Amino acid sequence: MLEEKVRDKRIITLIEKWLKAGIIFTFRWEKSRKGKDIITHKTSKKGFKRTIQKFKEWIRKNRHCRLMKMFKELNTKLRGYYNYYGTIGNSKKIT
């Protein structure tokens, strides 16, 4: 299906690598703000739940830490989370 819409072989190869690497996204065709067809990525519910559960476990294990240290590590984790899941069309999952 994807190869019918996307003529650029490099994009197809990149998406295949993402899928083999275990990046868990659902790909969808949507319209951009300018009305063009684009591929968007939405995080799977299963992957999202697993990430949130790991995050909760980390907080539980580290709640004895000093606040400044905990906030610094939390900011690092959140930055990584937004960088990983913050793709086109996935903004509803990360806010």
Side-chain angles (χ1 to χ4, degrees):
M1 178 185 117
L2 197 59
E3 290 174 347
E4 291 175 15
K5 296 275 187 179
V6 178
R7 300 281 184 238
D8 192 344
K9 184 65 178 163
R10 292 175 293 178
I11 298 295
I12 299 294
T13 304
L14 181 62
I15 292 171
E16 287 172 353
K17 285 182 181 181
W18 286 343
L19 293 173
K20 287 179 185 174
I23 296 177
I24 306 166
F25 291 118
T26 300
F27 296 97
R28 297 174 190 225
W29 285 104
E30 291 186 7
K31 294 278 185 190
S32 71
R33 291 182 198 158
K34 295 180 180 179
K36 295 182 180 181
D37 288 332
I38 59 170
I39 298 173
T40 61
H41 315 285
K42 305 228 187 253
T43 304
S44 73
K45 290 180 184 178
K46 186 177 178 181
F48 183 71
K49 280 184 176 181
R50 186 173 44 241
T51 299
I52 295 299
Q53 188 60 38
K54 285 182 183 178
F55 195 69
K56 286 180 181 179
E57 287 175 22
W58 181 85
I59 291 172
R60 232 179 270 121
K61 288 179 183 177
N62 291 284
R63 61 179 140 185
H64 67 279
C65 295
R66 292 183 168 264
L67 284 178
M68 292 308 287
K69 180 183 177 190
M70 191 171 182
F71 287 149
K72 184 178 178 181
E73 290 188 40
L74 275 172
N75 284 331
T76 302
K77 287 182 177 300
L78 286 171
R79 197 174 308 116
Y81 173 81
Y82 288 131
N83 288 338
Y84 184 81
Y85 289 108
T87 60
I88 294 172
N90 200 34
S91 60
K92 290 179 183 174
K93 275 286 189 187
I94 63 171
T95 55

